[in-house]
Amino acid sequence: MYTAHPDRYADMPYRRTGRSGLKLPALSLGLWHNFGPDRPVETQRAILRRAFDLGVTHFDLANNYGPPPGAAESALGEFLKSDFAAYRDELVISTKAGYLMWPGPYGEWGSRKYVLSSLDQSLARMGLDYVDIFYSHRPDPETPLEETMGALHSAVQQGKALYVGISNYSAEQTREAARILGELGTPLLIHQPRYSMLDRRPEDEGLLDALDELQVGSIVFSPLEQGLLSARYLDGIPEGSRAASDSPFLNSDAVTEELVGRLRDLNDIAKSRGQTLAQMALAWVLRGGRVTSALVGASSPQQLEDSVGAIANLDFGAEELARIDAVVKQ
């Protein structure tokens, strides 16, 4: 029988999401590729328990997380029943719809039929009446944005989601989505973009500026750039790493000698801050408060603990930021 740590709220900072009343932990747990049947159940349980004990109250999913698709939601459903039933109101649980889930023309993208059917399936897998945040996972180039946003609005009206968000939308698409949702009476709560020291498109393409203007929150994924911004690749590609596998998300061609040299330089900066490279990378995306929360994955409780250690130092001096920029942009 799991009993949560009594001091779980002592250290984790919580940040208001845009102009809403919802606060998210600075670090949130993404149940992406470590919560399928190929991973030991006890390891999954240990990660979730340790996360909650450390104040990580937000578990982020999508309909296609696993593998196979749906497996992460099913796994969380079992753990909600066995471990977290008494803590449901302390948890923020999010899921998404947008990528391929079943055959045929209604199994992906952004139609009203797909989005709302997907949410019903997600709720059934997790054994929940509602999720706290429901996202459109990606914009649909062929479906009117009014239809996709209308489906998100309907999810709230039906009591199946408390808030709504979008992911992988451009700055222009985000502004239009916020306008449509605002007119419907369901504010856009949050955007989930990819963002890291090595991937600065949200800055360069004006997305962070748009979110500031709209007073919309942000939660970033891949802040460690698929593990590159960790100690794993400081000496090249280790056996068993994502880059050494056939992963479509990171391949060995990306880990060049030049990149490894830059990672070592970044690691030196992290050491001067008393942090691991992963901790500095997480602190960097959270610097200044523009980002509400950073999503981290974990293959073990120890890896999660290292990530949470980033909150001990989220501040950067101008010289440190300049050194990081010089390394990344060289």
Side-chain angles (χ1 to χ4, degrees), residues 104-125:
Y106 320 119
E108 63 178 325
W109 293 109
S111 71
R112 180 178 181 85
K113 179 172 177 59
Y114 165 73
V115 169
L116 293 177
S117 296
S118 178
L119 177 56
D120 285 342
Q121 292 183 22
S122 292
L123 292 174
R125 282 189 288 267

Side-chain angles (χ1 to χ4, degrees), residues 139-330:
D140 183 342
E142 296 183 346
T143 298
L145 194 55
E146 288 82 359
E147 180 174 341
T148 305
M149 295 303 105
L152 296 184
H153 170 67
S154 291
V156 173
Q157 294 297 298
Q158 293 168 5
K160 297 176 181 178
L162 301 185
Y163 302 92
V164 299
I166 57 177
S167 181
N168 298 304
Y169 280 57
S170 69
E172 181 181 357
Q173 290 167 331
T174 297
R175 287 190 172 92
E176 184 64 5
R179 182 192 66 77
I180 294 167
L181 285 168
E183 291 178 355
L184 291 171
T186 297
L188 177 61
L189 173 81
I190 195 166
H191 189 298
Q192 188 172 132
R194 180 170 181 156
Y195 182 47
S196 74
M197 285 194 293
L198 299 179
D199 186 348
R200 303 192 179 192
R201 283 174 293 177
E203 290 180 9
D204 299 338
E205 297 174 3
L207 178 61
L208 293 184
D209 290 337
L211 297 178
D212 287 343
E213 293 166 16
L214 296 167
Q215 294 183 280
V216 169
S218 60
I219 178 167
V220 301
F221 70 91
S222 292
L224 301 183
E225 202 61 29
Q226 299 294 325
L228 287 176
L229 290 168
S230 70
R232 297 204 76 183
Y233 297 94
L234 296 178
D235 295 310
I237 302 175
E239 284 188 31
S241 66
R242 184 167 290 164
S245 70
D246 58 356
S247 170
F249 305 105
L250 179 66
N251 59 56
S252 58
D253 293 341
V255 188
T256 63
E257 288 187 20
E258 178 191 12
L259 175 61
V260 171
R262 285 192 286 162
L263 295 177
R264 289 172 177 165
D265 290 342
L266 290 172
N267 190 55
D268 289 340
I269 300 172
K271 285 181 179 178
S272 71
R273 290 171 49 82
Q275 292 182 314
T276 65
L277 177 55
Q279 288 170 344
M280 184 178 78
L282 292 169
W284 186 89
V285 298
L286 291 166
R287 74 198 187 285
R290 294 189 84 185
V291 167
T292 311
S293 184
L295 277 168
V296 295
S299 57
S300 68
Q302 294 74 28
Q303 187 180 41
L304 179 69
E305 289 169 1
D306 181 74
S307 294
V308 171
I311 65 175
N313 185 10
L314 298 178
D315 296 323
F316 288 81
E319 183 180 347
E320 286 179 318
L321 292 174
R323 288 177 64 196
I324 291 169
D325 287 347
V327 171
V328 170
K329 297 177 181 180
Q330 67 186 11

Side-chain angles (χ1 to χ4, degrees), residues 34-37 39-49 75 79:
N34 290 322
F35 286 82
R39 304 290 176 144
V41 170
E42 287 308 313
T43 300
Q44 297 178 37
R45 175 179 282 113
I47 292 169
L48 290 169
R49 287 180 173 185
F79 296 126

Side-chain angles (χ1 to χ4, degrees), residues 34-89:
N34 290 322
F35 286 82
D38 59 335
R39 304 290 176 144
V41 170
E42 287 308 313
T43 300
Q44 297 178 37
R45 175 179 282 113
I47 292 169
L48 290 169
R49 287 180 173 185
R50 190 65 183 131
F52 192 57
D53 284 346
L54 290 170
V56 179
T57 53
H58 179 208
F59 299 160
D60 178 78
L61 301 97
N63 56 0
N64 64 328
Y65 288 178
E73 290 178 330
S74 296
L76 180 64
E78 293 301 316
F79 296 126
L80 289 174
K81 283 190 295 184
S82 63
D83 287 22
F84 296 100
Y87 305 106
R88 172 63 183 99
D89 291 335

